[in-house]
Amino acid sequence: MNLTGRNIIGFETFSEGTVAIQAINPASGETMPPLYYKATNDELQYAVEKGLKAFQIYRKKSGNEKAAFLEDIANEIDNLGDLLIERYMSESGLPQGRAIGERGRTTSQLRLFAQLLRDGSWVNARIDTALPERQPAPRPDLRSIEKPLGVVGIFGASNFPLAFSVAGGDTTSALAAGCCVIFKAHPAHLGTSELVGKAIQKAAAATNMPDGVFSLLFDDAHDIGTALVQHPEIKAIGFTGSFKGGKALFDLAMSRKEPIPVYAEMGSVNPVFVLPDIAQEKSSEIAQQYLGSVVLGVGQFCTNPGMLVIQKNDNFIKTLEHLSTEVQGGTMLTSGICDNYIKGIEKSKQFATIIGIGKKSSTLNSAEPIIFKTTALELVENPELGEEIFGPTSLVVEADSKEEIIAFAKSLDGHLTATVHGTEKDLKEYEELITILEQKVGRILLNGFPTGVEVSHAMVHGGPFPATTDARSTSVGTMAITRFTRPICYQNFPDELLPDELKSSNPLNIWRLVDGNWKK
Amino acid sequence: MNLTGRNIIGFETFSEGTVAIQAINPASGETMPPLYYKATNDELQYAVEKGLKAFQIYRKKSGNEKAAFLEDIANEIDNLGDLLIERYMSESGLPQGRAIGERGRTTSQLRLFAQLLRDGSWVNARIDTALPERQPAPRPDLRSIEKPLGVVGIFGASNFPLAFSVAGGDTTSALAAGCCVIFKAHPAHLGTSELVGKAIQKAAAATNMPDGVFSLLFDDAHDIGTALVQHPEIKAIGFTGSFKGGKALFDLAMSRKEPIPVYAEMGSVNPVFVLPDIAQEKSSEIAQQYLGSVVLGVGQFCTNPGMLVIQKNDNFIKTLEHLSTEVQGGTMLTSGICDNYIKGIEKSKQFATIIGIGKKSSTLNSAEPIIFKTTALELVENPELGEEIFGPTSLVVEADSKEEIIAFAKSLDGHLTATVHGTEKDLKEYEELITILEQKVGRILLNGFPTGVEVSHAMVHGGPFPATTDARSTSVGTMAITRFTRPICYQNFPDELLPDELKSSNPLNIWRLVDGNWKK
């Protein structure tokens, strides 16, 4: 497959724009062909019009039909083979192992949602049968089900060019829900985006999906994204990225004539608490795993542990001093991200002590891992120290007492995750800490590190503001599907006019809440 | 029980304010004792502080404990006996049958949510068991569950002094979810609010709920409501009322530093489509039921059928002309609501023809039912005709053709409900109409009228903007509970630290999604 640089609009491609954009290899600084052209407003409008038409067909596709589509996307991504892996690596600066791993995550995510659709029970079908004899008033027959919202806008994230991008979690859950997707590619991985966009286009045609079920638009900056959020026919937004970016999209969406849901996952500091007893017992093991988690993917994970809180422990600090010089940095995703990392580090240097500095690679835009330390009291004085720095850095916060740790936990904002390391004894003593933390995050972990975000049924990758703009949902895992649906109730419908999921004979054999009881 | 006029803050009562408010009987214009005093900002702050403390206890109450609380509220409401019914009638102008019916709706709503809590499966418990041997990476043990948001603010609605007020659907679902509630009473039914507030206070004490789980504040206008929405510790808002009111609260909440969910149900026109074949067959039956639905509760239902669309049918219009003079109006809830009704009617008179005028009662603030007609073409010219007029009026829209009906349906905004009357033949011919309408509403009905809103598991009382500010939920029925929760995921927690709902032995015997399969 040749890269063309053209916007994908349903089954067609276009390139009407005049503003050229080019992919840059962050490790070498070299630009890569082809030229992409920023989408025009006409192209966006055409994508929306096609999406609206397609939605009237796509929303009626069965679970099995949508499953076949998602599975075919996964197959087409696999079929891209080394072409995709190589483009991914040169656009992101990330190594081959990561590229292959992320491709696997992306395709198995598509296949997991396909399974969910074939199973069919996700629709939350509810039936309250008619009670015509009921006094004082009869009850009508009521049946409700989750239905797709319409055409939605999704934004590619810089840090996962596959798993949180064109065929990533947001697209997959929106398509699974029955929504049509207009995707705004991230300019940091244009070629990777086009390759995956073509895979979706091909799969849509092969599985008889309507023209317009998916479109992919390119942009160098914010114009097309802004127009997408403001388009009156767009019904929801998915985004993963910075607080600044996500909050701006949220504000735009809320000031529309018709406000729409915005699922912006805006990252967080993901505090890790290491309790006293385990800090004695497993000091060097925890230190090692912590550093591994900090530098994973050059620290460019939303769940990167940006802060570790520990009761004053010289031994642990010494171990970190020793180990942190050995950890390896690497090329960051873009020169802009690397510049911001350096700025963040410079700022932290003014307030915090350096524990250790890791190794840089010899490539361009290479980030040096760096571990800082401060005290809980100093952090209260300089709260900017607690802000996320996107990259392979973390701040160790030393506390003088349990009371200080508890008070600090209480002062936390919303985060995606919080982690506690503790022995049985620690956890008993710090029960209150867990109670506090679970009210601050979407996921709370014991004795692990937050950088692994499983794609499964129970995963919550979300959390209270400012970690996201909607804590009631997750952007990873099968629960993500209901971000793109709303319930509709059918009253006194004859069987033949009901969706299959609600027909009396339960032809799809799904779980349903019938008169208050779950039944199959 | 004597009315005191005091704000209820947890187990205490206060009356620190200086702005007096008094209940007015809308039928007689007489004021009723006692004097209520607008809550002060200090009182609000105290209620929030108590709520925050109470939340740390209340969020851990078991389903059975919360169920006992809700059931006791229902019992205490029943115990108020005639005192409540009489105060309700004199404050609302509504008749005894309605008062008793609405009390029954309110208490059975509380009891239904108690049942839901005793059953326990509503929490959407999900378990993905650990796969330590999985390649390339092991899967941790992941368990998630819906947990309450915190202290929430609920606003009383004018039109249901019991069922959408102090112990109404919003309060009930928020308390069931495990949230603490600060309730802003509607000034149109101060005494009814105090009586029910005291019932909740009494039930909370009797069932060992924490001081501050519920507070009730009075206000003559918008100050306390505004402060409530803007309070940084408030985590969600429930509201039923006008578009203007709901949208203002929504905008306030979105412009907070931390935006919070706003569930504002803002009413709608609830179009009813009468198809050609059934219009021949059952003209007079439909006309009669339609008029009954229009004047029910003096037309003060959110689901009042404000519009009926029909293919030109002189016979139906004649029947309406005849029947509409016989229908009975009555006292509206407040003089302000009655004034607005009269203004709306005057405006409609400029654009539409009158089919018939019903009877007024001899009381003050009595509304005259009035049925207008226009054509689909005229409605396109004068879209203000299609706006909701709160009260016993409705607009018959005559269309010239099926195409005109379909085009009109496509032009509709979001509504709570849409209704289609049709024979089997009609419904076959107008299948497209149903497809269009289900995308515009929260509930679609066949051959009925929308004014009955069942409190059950499958009910959706919601719908796309501008009917509500959040189409992903319902304000009536058991699904309303998840408006006040968010999912939390526990990773690698030992059984003893997990909520009972997630413990491996399933001690509560609830339905759970275990490795993708629903199990008990």
Side-chain angles (χ1 to χ4, degrees):
Chain A
M1 189 185 287
N2 287 325
L3 291 174
T4 67
R6 293 168 72 80
N7 295 296
I8 294 170
I9 302 182
F11 295 148
E12 299 174 279
T13 66
F14 290 88
S15 194
E16 311 273 290
T18 52
V19 181
I21 330 167
Q22 211 162 354
I24 298 167
N25 181 326
S28 67
E30 284 164 20
T31 56
M32 283 177 279
L35 285 179
Y36 286 77
Y37 288 92
K38 174 178 172 161
T40 64
N41 282 330
D42 284 352
E43 286 169 330
L44 170 63
Q45 179 59 27
Y46 188 55
V48 173
E49 281 165 19
K50 271 202 172 185
L52 289 171
K53 267 190 206 156
F55 180 61
Q56 293 308 321
I57 299 163
Y58 189 61
R59 68 189 289 277
K60 293 193 171 180
K61 292 284 182 188
S62 70
N64 284 336
E65 288 170 310
K66 288 185 289 181
F69 176 32
L70 296 188
E71 284 161 348
D72 210 46
I73 297 172
N75 295 340
E76 289 296 342
I77 290 173
D78 283 338
N79 289 344
L80 290 167
D82 290 346
L83 182 64
L84 178 65
I85 298 301
E86 281 156 19
R87 184 78 190 194
Y88 172 107
M89 288 165 61
S90 47
E91 286 187 329
S92 68
L94 293 166
Q96 192 188 34
R98 160 70 188 266
I100 291 172
E102 195 181 326
R103 180 181 60 189
R105 180 188 176 90
T106 307
T107 53
S108 51
Q109 184 163 258
L110 284 156
R111 291 179 180 120
L112 180 66
F113 275 88
Q115 242 178 59
L116 187 79
L117 294 175
R118 290 196 194 282
D119 171 82
S121 300
W122 73 270
V123 296
N124 193 18
R126 289 164 174 244
I127 298 176
D128 295 320
T129 51
L131 301 171
E133 314 298 334
R134 197 187 57 177
Q135 290 303 328
R139 180 169 85 180
D141 183 279
L142 293 163
R143 301 179 185 226
S144 67
I145 191 181
E146 292 291 323
K147 286 274 194 174
L149 293 178
V151 185
V152 303
I154 311 279
F155 288 72
S158 64
N159 61 341
F160 280 81
L162 292 171
F164 287 80
S165 193
V166 181
D170 286 342
T171 300
T172 303
S173 49
L175 289 176
C179 290
C180 295
V181 170
I182 299 182
F183 196 94
K184 208 285 277 173
H186 197 284
H189 47 265
L190 299 163
T192 305
S193 295
E194 187 187 346
L195 287 170
V196 176
K198 287 278 183 146
I200 299 178
Q201 192 186 43
K202 212 168 154 190
T207 57
N208 197 28
M209 295 298 138
D211 183 9
V213 67
F214 177 82
S215 291
L216 173 68
L217 303 177
F218 296 99
D219 189 5
D220 62 334
H222 307 303
D223 293 343
I224 282 297
T226 299
L228 183 59
V229 174
Q230 292 184 315
H231 197 292
E233 297 291 351
I234 294 295
K235 295 296 181 193
I237 296 295
F239 170 89
T240 297
S242 68
F243 177 80
K244 203 179 139 195
K247 184 60 166 51
L249 295 183
F250 177 82
D251 288 342
L252 274 178
M254 295 310 127
S255 60
R256 288 165 49 119
K257 190 179 164 216
E258 177 190 345
I260 53 174
V262 173
Y263 303 103
E265 189 268 85
M266 306 182 292
S268 80
V269 171
N270 305 296
V272 174
F273 292 77
V274 180
L275 301 184
D277 200 36
I278 208 163
Q280 296 296 333
E281 241 181 55
K282 296 192 172 175
S283 183
S284 95
E285 189 185 327
I286 292 173
Q288 200 139 23
Q289 289 172 356
Y290 163 59
L291 292 171
S293 186
V294 169
V295 300
L296 197 68
V298 201
Q300 299 164 120
F301 276 40
C302 310
T303 50
N304 197 54
M307 190 182 282
L308 184 146
V309 182
I310 189 166
Q311 204 166 323
K312 203 162 167 28
N313 183 322
D314 294 339
N315 189 36
F316 183 76
I317 300 290
K318 260 186 207 144
T319 312
L320 276 183
E321 274 171 4
H322 172 67
L323 293 172
S324 56
T325 55
E326 293 302 312
V327 293
Q328 183 65 51
T331 302
M332 297 198 80
L333 294 155
T334 69
S335 61
I337 287 173
C338 191
D339 290 348
N340 279 335
Y341 178 69
I342 292 164
K343 270 183 220 158
I345 291 296
E346 289 308 316
K347 204 169 153 193
S348 285
K349 281 181 183 169
Q350 298 171 29
F351 303 106
T353 316
I354 292 172
I355 291 182
I357 301 178
K359 295 173 185 163
K360 254 173 107 154
S361 60
S362 59
T363 53
L364 271 187
N365 297 310
S366 176
E368 208 165 51
I370 178 160
I371 308 295
F372 291 101
K373 87 172 176 182
T374 188
T375 64
L377 288 178
E378 280 173 52
L379 188 52
V380 173
E381 297 285 304
N382 304 296
E384 56 271 64
L385 258 178
E387 287 165 17
E388 184 183 7
I389 301 171
F390 191 69
T393 183
S394 189
L395 176 69
V396 176
V397 180
E398 290 189 298
D400 278 332
S401 61
K402 182 182 166 187
E403 290 62 42
E404 235 181 65
I405 291 176
I406 297 290
F408 176 71
K410 281 187 180 164
S411 77
L412 286 170
D413 266 345
H415 291 266
L416 294 169
T417 71
T419 302
V420 178
H421 284 264
T423 60
E424 210 173 309
K425 184 180 153 226
D426 281 326
L427 297 177
K428 210 162 277 173
E429 209 181 312
Y430 280 79
E431 208 188 321
E432 189 190 353
L433 178 65
I434 293 173
T435 298
I436 295 163
L437 292 177
E438 71 169 24
Q439 296 178 59
K440 305 283 188 177
V441 301
R443 178 166 55 113
I444 176 163
L445 304 82
L446 291 188
N447 298 318
F449 282 92
T451 28
V453 183
E454 199 64 40
V455 184
S456 71
H457 301 290
M459 174 51 65
V460 179
H461 187 63
F465 188 89
T468 77
T469 52
D470 197 329
R472 294 162 297 172
S473 61
T474 171
S475 63
V476 174
T478 55
M479 268 195 281
I481 193 169
T482 48
R483 295 180 300 166
F484 300 107
T485 62
R486 66 179 180 88
I488 299 180
C489 178
Y490 301 85
Q491 181 168 328
N492 283 343
F493 267 54
D495 235 41
E496 62 273 20
L497 291 179
L498 284 166
D500 284 350
E501 288 87 346
L502 294 177
K503 285 184 167 54
S504 293
S505 65
N506 195 8
L508 303 180
N509 191 31
I510 60 172
W511 286 101
R512 314 194 291 185
L513 189 70
V514 181
D515 294 328
N517 301 304
W518 286 104
K519 278 187 189 164
K520 212 173 181 170
Chain B
M1 189 186 286
N2 287 324
L3 291 174
T4 67
R6 293 169 72 82
N7 296 296
I8 294 170
I9 302 182
F11 295 148
E12 299 173 279
T13 66
F14 290 88
S15 194
E16 311 273 289
T18 53
V19 181
I21 330 166
Q22 211 162 352
I24 298 166
N25 181 324
S28 67
E30 284 164 21
T31 57
M32 283 177 280
L35 284 179
Y36 286 77
Y37 287 92
K38 173 179 173 161
T40 64
N41 283 330
D42 284 352
E43 285 170 330
L44 170 62
Q45 179 60 26
Y46 189 55
V48 173
E49 280 164 21
K50 271 202 173 186
L52 289 171
K53 267 190 207 157
F55 180 62
Q56 293 308 320
I57 299 163
Y58 189 60
R59 68 189 288 278
K60 294 193 171 180
K61 292 285 182 187
S62 70
N64 284 337
E65 288 170 312
K66 288 186 289 182
F69 177 31
L70 296 188
E71 284 161 349
D72 209 45
I73 296 172
N75 295 340
E76 289 297 342
I77 290 173
D78 282 339
N79 289 343
L80 290 167
D82 290 345
L83 181 66
L84 179 65
I85 297 301
E86 280 156 19
R87 184 78 190 194
Y88 171 110
M89 289 165 63
S90 46
E91 286 187 329
S92 68
L94 293 166
Q96 191 188 36
R98 161 69 187 268
I100 291 172
E102 195 181 326
R103 179 180 62 189
R105 180 188 176 90
T106 306
T107 53
S108 50
Q109 184 163 258
L110 284 156
R111 291 180 180 119
L112 179 66
F113 275 89
Q115 241 178 60
L116 187 79
L117 294 175
R118 290 195 193 281
D119 172 83
S121 299
W122 72 271
V123 295
N124 193 18
R126 291 165 172 242
I127 297 175
D128 296 320
T129 51
L131 301 172
E133 314 299 334
R134 196 187 57 176
Q135 291 302 329
R139 180 170 86 179
D141 183 278
L142 294 163
R143 301 178 187 226
S144 66
I145 192 182
E146 293 291 324
K147 286 273 195 175
L149 293 179
V151 184
V152 303
I154 311 279
F155 288 73
S158 64
N159 60 343
F160 280 81
L162 292 171
F164 287 80
S165 194
V166 181
D170 287 342
T171 301
T172 303
S173 49
L175 289 176
C179 290
C180 296
V181 169
I182 298 180
F183 196 94
K184 207 285 278 175
H186 197 286
H189 47 265
L190 298 164
T192 305
S193 295
E194 186 187 348
L195 287 171
V196 176
K198 287 278 183 145
I200 299 178
Q201 191 186 43
K202 211 168 156 190
T207 57
N208 197 27
M209 295 298 138
D211 183 9
V213 68
F214 176 83
S215 291
L216 172 68
L217 303 177
F218 296 99
D219 190 5
D220 60 335
H222 307 303
D223 293 342
I224 282 296
T226 300
L228 182 60
V229 174
Q230 293 184 316
H231 197 292
E233 298 292 352
I234 294 294
K235 295 297 181 193
I237 295 295
F239 171 89
T240 297
S242 68
F243 176 80
K244 205 180 138 194
K247 184 61 166 52
L249 295 184
F250 177 82
D251 289 342
L252 275 178
M254 295 310 127
S255 61
R256 287 164 51 117
K257 189 179 166 217
E258 176 190 346
I260 53 173
V262 173
Y263 303 103
E265 190 267 85
M266 306 181 291
S268 80
V269 171
N270 304 297
V272 174
F273 293 77
V274 180
L275 302 184
D277 200 37
I278 207 163
Q280 296 297 334
E281 243 182 51
K282 295 190 171 176
S283 183
S284 97
E285 191 185 328
I286 293 173
Q288 201 138 24
Q289 289 173 355
Y290 163 59
L291 292 172
S293 187
V294 169
V295 301
L296 196 68
V298 200
Q300 299 164 121
F301 276 41
C302 311
T303 49
N304 197 54
M307 190 181 284
L308 183 146
V309 182
I310 189 165
Q311 205 165 322
K312 204 163 164 32
N313 182 321
D314 293 341
N315 188 35
F316 183 76
I317 301 290
K318 260 184 207 144
T319 312
L320 277 184
E321 274 171 5
H322 173 67
L323 293 173
S324 56
T325 55
E326 293 301 313
V327 293
Q328 183 66 49
T331 302
M332 296 197 81
L333 294 155
T334 68
S335 61
I337 287 173
C338 190
D339 291 347
N340 279 335
Y341 177 68
I342 292 165
K343 271 183 219 156
I345 291 296
E346 289 309 315
K347 204 169 152 193
S348 285
K349 281 180 181 168
Q350 298 171 28
F351 302 107
T353 316
I354 292 172
I355 291 181
I357 301 178
K359 296 173 185 164
K360 256 172 104 153
S361 59
S362 60
T363 53
L364 271 186
N365 298 308
S366 176
E368 209 167 50
I370 178 160
I371 308 295
F372 291 101
K373 86 172 177 182
T374 188
T375 64
L377 289 178
E378 280 173 55
L379 187 53
V380 173
E381 298 284 305
N382 304 298
E384 57 271 62
L385 257 180
E387 287 165 18
E388 184 183 6
I389 302 171
F390 191 69
T393 182
S394 189
L395 176 69
V396 176
V397 181
E398 289 188 299
D400 278 333
S401 62
K402 182 183 166 186
E403 290 63 42
E404 234 179 67
I405 291 176
I406 297 289
F408 176 70
K410 281 186 180 164
S411 77
L412 286 171
D413 266 345
H415 291 266
L416 294 169
T417 71
T419 302
V420 177
H421 284 263
T423 60
E424 210 173 307
K425 185 180 153 226
D426 281 327
L427 297 177
K428 210 162 276 171
E429 209 181 310
Y430 280 79
E431 208 188 322
E432 189 189 353
L433 178 66
I434 292 173
T435 298
I436 296 164
L437 292 178
E438 71 168 25
Q439 296 178 60
K440 305 283 188 177
V441 301
R443 178 167 54 115
I444 177 164
L445 303 82
L446 293 187
N447 297 319
F449 283 92
T451 28
V453 183
E454 199 63 40
V455 185
S456 71
H457 301 290
M459 175 50 65
V460 179
H461 187 63
F465 189 89
T468 77
T469 53
D470 197 328
R472 295 161 296 171
S473 61
T474 171
S475 63
V476 174
T478 55
M479 270 194 280
I481 194 170
T482 49
R483 296 181 298 167
F484 300 107
T485 64
R486 66 179 181 88
I488 299 180
C489 177
Y490 301 84
Q491 181 168 327
N492 283 344
F493 266 56
D495 235 41
E496 63 273 21
L497 290 179
L498 285 166
D500 285 350
E501 289 86 346
L502 294 176
K503 285 185 167 58
S504 293
S505 65
N506 195 8
L508 302 180
N509 192 30
I510 61 172
W511 286 100
R512 313 194 291 186
L513 189 69
V514 180
D515 294 326
N517 301 305
W518 286 104
K519 278 185 189 166
K520 213 173 180 169

